[in-house]
Amino acid sequence: MESFVGYIHIRYANLKRYFDTECSVKKLLLIFLSSCVLWYYIGARGRKDLREPCQFQKVPFSSSVMETLKLETEVKCNVWNSFVYFDNTGYLHLNHSAIYAAGFNQSQLTCEYAIVLMDGFHGSKLVDKTILTKPTYVPNDFVYVVCKTLNRKTVYANFHYNVNTEINKRDLLPDTQDQLNIVLLGIDSTSRFLAEKQLPKTLDFFENTLEAYPLKGYTRIGDNTLPNIIAALTGKTLVESVLSTSGYPSLYKEILKRKYIDCFSEDWAPFLPPHLVKYPNYTHYLRSIVVASKQSEFKMFQQTFNNNTFEAQHEKLCFGNNFKHNIVLDYGKQCIEKYRNKRKYVFMWVTELAHHHPEYLSLGDNDAHSLLKWMHTSGKLTNTAFVLFSDHGSRYGTLTEHEIGRMTKNLPLLSLYLPPHLKSRYPHIHRNLKYNAAQLTTPFDLHETLLDIFTQNFKEQIDFTDNCVLPRGISLFRKIPSRRSCYDASIVENYCPCYSYQPINVEDKVVQKSAIFVVSKINEMISKSPFSCKTLELIKVVSAKIQRIPQNSNTNQRSSVRYVVVFKTFPGYGMFEASVEYSHSNEAKLIGNIDRINSYGNQSRCVSEQVDIGYTSLRQYCYCA
Ligand SMILES: [Zn+2]
């Protein structure tokens, strides 16, 4: 998960304190941030190209990309069996056969469990420590279990979970044909392109067998997870969300008002800080043990029993002896199973699987497919809308070194399943979703759609007229006009997938000049930092393309020309991509971010060691001296 989320989190935690205590500061900030938003809109309004109806660019496919996505070696988690397990009535048992297989018997071990509770939003605490000797009912979802030998050596330490419906104290209502369950399964850093290659079984089953609707023009509205997820869950931008003084976002109000159970299952802890999206702790909240597992006092057992080796295998992908994505799916599945006929809002978000390594995504294909198949065959989809989606494409890893990887970064996966009875009762929804498959869509639209599902807003609405101003978010149940532009949809230039490009010779003078200009910008940034970073030099331009900006018909100004250059630098062999624009004055202007598109490993260790998380973006540029 991106460090930016953490950065924003800490920065806005400070902001929030100001907001709460210092009215005048709040007003100043409000004016400043509003000015930024206004500035952006005025700027965007001036750009004719952003306002053109979207025509998606063709993505050039090269078979060499598939080599990038192959798993070189087998990936597995530690192979030991758990010493305890929950049955589905909430009783915790000792697993005698696993204990015996590990070379112990029960008389040699003492296993103690404690209930894991959230302690504030960023901490966990243990309560009710109990020695486990016989099957024992646990009135909660999470326990931490430690087993020790007679000489007090820890031979087992792990977290266990079980969705316990007793912890819900709210009244719930049954789902119906009109009041649907909403289940979201999100996989971070997964473009539609990547999903097609790495999740073929899941996508085939979802879109061909279950006839879910692919939204192939789904486009990110921000760089990383936070702005895209906030837009989908709250209908707001990051700035609007920070400034919002209202309580819960509209989606959560509906969960409470319409008496849904709420389950949140995610494998990465600092996601969605509540003061940004104003979400409370969810009723069933896997985050509790994810947060706990990061606390130093909670050790997790990483030992394999073969030769007592302590090497953790694939720590990023595994939680104890299981894949993290499996735990996310299983916890969500338990919620779906245990609240059988009740209204459910289940949000599963798999962060670690594809975030840094798109090749690992294939490890989740069988598991995601199994979940969908189970839901289908057990009737759990009868009254359920199921959203399979992501926030953006690969931002790290070898895929970004390919043109196709960079081009599909803007186009995350989105596919929507609706039960057949809904489609037959409201044929316009089927018709419009088919049509919208090829239209420009965003997380703001997904939010409007989720609201429509919550509020049973399935009635046909009149189409937008040719001249009306389009709203920022449009429910996917409505026909999205083909005239919609990136400007209409609030997609900034960096992420707009509607431009066309033309390759240009890397030896071209302006291309070379652009690359040198961007390197100078990087050097400017690192020279102002407190770190000892080496000055970078351009080795070569790897690729270049031109994105033309149409002439503004109201003036006789010369067209601006934008170059997108990919280049390598020394020392460190960093590979970067950046856009440089030349207006009629021929002055170079950097557009958007300079993206590091190959791994920087520990080249930036001097930055990584810094406590201030505000410097994390420098990691991609700094080659420590
Ligand atoms: Zn993300």
Side-chain angles (χ1 to χ4, degrees), residues 166-181:
E166 298 290 315
I167 66 171
N168 170 52
K169 304 299 177 209
R170 288 186 291 121
D171 286 339
L172 303 175
L173 288 174
D175 61 40
T176 67
Q177 286 208 336
D178 280 314
Q179 197 65 59
L180 301 177
N181 304 306

Side-chain angles (χ1 to χ4, degrees), residues 554-573:
N554 296 326
T555 71
N556 286 324
Q557 289 176 332
R558 229 174 86 192
S559 301
S560 299
V561 184
R562 187 176 300 174
Y563 291 77
V564 181
V565 286
V566 175
F567 57 89
K568 252 186 187 165
T569 57
F570 182 84
Y573 301 100

Side-chain angles (χ1 to χ4, degrees), residues 436-481:
N436 291 341
Q439 301 306 310
L440 184 66
T441 51
T442 71
F444 295 120
D445 304 334
L446 176 57
H447 178 73
E448 296 302 322
T449 314
L450 293 174
L451 272 185
D452 274 358
I453 296 170
F454 266 124
T455 57
Q456 304 185 14
N457 187 17
F458 302 127
K459 285 214 180 84
E460 186 162 11
Q461 296 184 53
I462 51 165
D463 288 344
F464 293 103
T465 57
D466 282 348
N467 298 322
C468 75
V469 176
L470 297 174
R472 179 169 72 183
I474 302 174
S475 168
L476 298 167
F477 295 166
R478 295 187 76 174
K479 187 177 176 184
I480 293 178

Side-chain angles (χ1 to χ4, degrees), residues 1-2 188-189 224-225 349 355 391-392:
M1 173 65 87
E2 29 280 54
D188 203 300
S189 305
N224 55 19
T225 312
W349 187 262
H355 198 267
D391 49 357
H392 48 76

Side-chain angles (χ1 to χ4, degrees), residues 303-348:
Q303 183 177 2
T304 62
F305 288 105
N306 302 326
N307 305 322
N308 274 0
T309 52
F310 276 84
E311 270 178 45
Q313 295 188 36
H314 299 285
E315 196 195 338
K316 285 257 172 215
L317 297 176
C318 303
F319 191 87
N321 57 350
N322 201 352
F323 280 109
K324 287 179 180 173
H325 71 265
N326 259 337
I327 292 175
V328 170
L329 297 183
D330 185 50
Y331 190 69
K333 183 182 172 186
Q334 283 195 26
C335 253
I336 294 164
E337 169 73 50
K338 294 194 173 179
Y339 289 95
R340 252 167 230 107
N341 301 316
K342 301 292 185 204
R343 297 175 185 179
K344 295 169 282 293
Y345 173 78
V346 180
F347 184 13
M348 294 170 273

Side-chain angles (χ1 to χ4, degrees), residues 304-427:
T304 62
F305 288 105
N306 302 326
N307 305 322
N308 274 0
T309 52
F310 276 84
E311 270 178 45
Q313 295 188 36
H314 299 285
E315 196 195 338
K316 285 257 172 215
L317 297 176
C318 303
F319 191 87
N321 57 350
N322 201 352
F323 280 109
K324 287 179 180 173
H325 71 265
N326 259 337
I327 292 175
V328 170
L329 297 183
D330 185 50
Y331 190 69
K333 183 182 172 186
Q334 283 195 26
C335 253
I336 294 164
E337 169 73 50
K338 294 194 173 179
Y339 289 95
R340 252 167 230 107
N341 301 316
K342 301 292 185 204
R343 297 175 185 179
K344 295 169 282 293
Y345 173 78
V346 180
F347 184 13
M348 294 170 273
W349 187 262
V350 176
T351 295
E352 302 271 24
L353 187 60
H355 198 267
H356 276 69
H357 298 281
E359 64 274 22
Y360 288 155
L361 180 60
S362 59
L363 295 169
D365 195 20
N366 280 337
D367 307 308
H369 171 254
S370 297
L371 175 75
L372 291 168
K373 202 164 177 199
W374 169 76
M375 289 192 70
H376 176 56
T377 51
S378 64
K380 301 290 186 301
L381 286 173
T382 306
N383 288 333
T384 297
F386 195 110
V387 181
L388 182 63
F389 76 125
S390 185
D391 49 357
H392 48 76
S394 298
R395 296 168 62 239
Y396 308 100
T398 46
L399 189 58
T400 58
E401 291 176 29
H402 294 260
E403 178 75 1
I404 196 166
R406 295 193 293 275
M407 286 174 80
T408 53
K409 202 157 61 170
N410 292 332
L411 297 167
L413 172 70
L414 174 62
S415 210
L416 171 64
Y417 169 87
L418 294 171
H421 61 75
L422 192 90
K423 298 182 198 180
S424 55
R425 284 183 295 138
Y426 304 102

Side-chain angles (χ1 to χ4, degrees), residues 167-333:
I167 66 171
N168 170 52
K169 304 299 177 209
R170 288 186 291 121
D171 286 339
L172 303 175
L173 288 174
D175 61 40
T176 67
Q177 286 208 336
D178 280 314
Q179 197 65 59
L180 301 177
N181 304 306
I182 297 182
V183 179
L184 299 111
L185 170 55
I187 306 176
D188 203 300
S189 305
T190 302
S191 61
R192 165 158 285 276
F193 166 77
L194 185 64
E196 284 172 0
K197 303 299 171 213
Q198 299 291 73
L199 301 173
K201 222 167 144 180
T202 305
L203 269 202
D204 178 57
F205 184 72
F206 197 53
E207 293 178 351
N208 296 328
T209 306
L210 300 182
E211 298 180 346
Y213 301 93
L215 280 305
K216 294 187 175 175
Y218 188 61
T219 301
R220 64 172 167 168
I221 56 101
D223 181 42
N224 55 19
T225 312
L226 196 55
N228 293 299
I229 290 295
I230 283 181
L233 296 186
T234 71
K236 294 189 171 89
T237 63
L238 190 57
V239 170
E240 289 163 357
S241 186
V242 172
L243 292 176
S244 170
T245 51
S246 63
Y248 295 151
S250 46
L251 221 59
Y252 206 83
K253 278 184 195 155
E254 295 299 332
I255 290 173
L256 298 177
K257 185 174 141 193
R258 293 172 189 273
K259 302 189 190 302
Y260 278 65
I261 188 65
D262 52 322
C263 304
F264 184 86
S265 187
E266 203 218 343
D267 58 344
W268 196 79
F271 188 56
L272 292 183
H275 53 267
L276 275 185
V277 291
K278 300 186 176 60
Y279 263 48
N281 285 351
Y282 286 78
T283 306
H284 294 283
Y285 207 26
L286 188 69
R287 191 172 187 281
S288 312
I289 53 170
V290 179
V291 167
S293 70
K294 302 286 177 202
Q295 285 175 231
S296 57
E297 65 268 36
F298 300 117
K299 300 273 184 263
M300 281 184 73
F301 198 66
Q302 295 292 3
Q303 183 177 2
T304 62
F305 288 105
N306 302 326
N307 305 322
N308 274 0
T309 52
F310 276 84
E311 270 178 45
Q313 295 188 36
H314 299 285
E315 196 195 338
K316 285 257 172 215
L317 297 176
C318 303
F319 191 87
N321 57 350
N322 201 352
F323 280 109
K324 287 179 180 173
H325 71 265
N326 259 337
I327 292 175
V328 170
L329 297 183
D330 185 50
Y331 190 69
K333 183 182 172 186

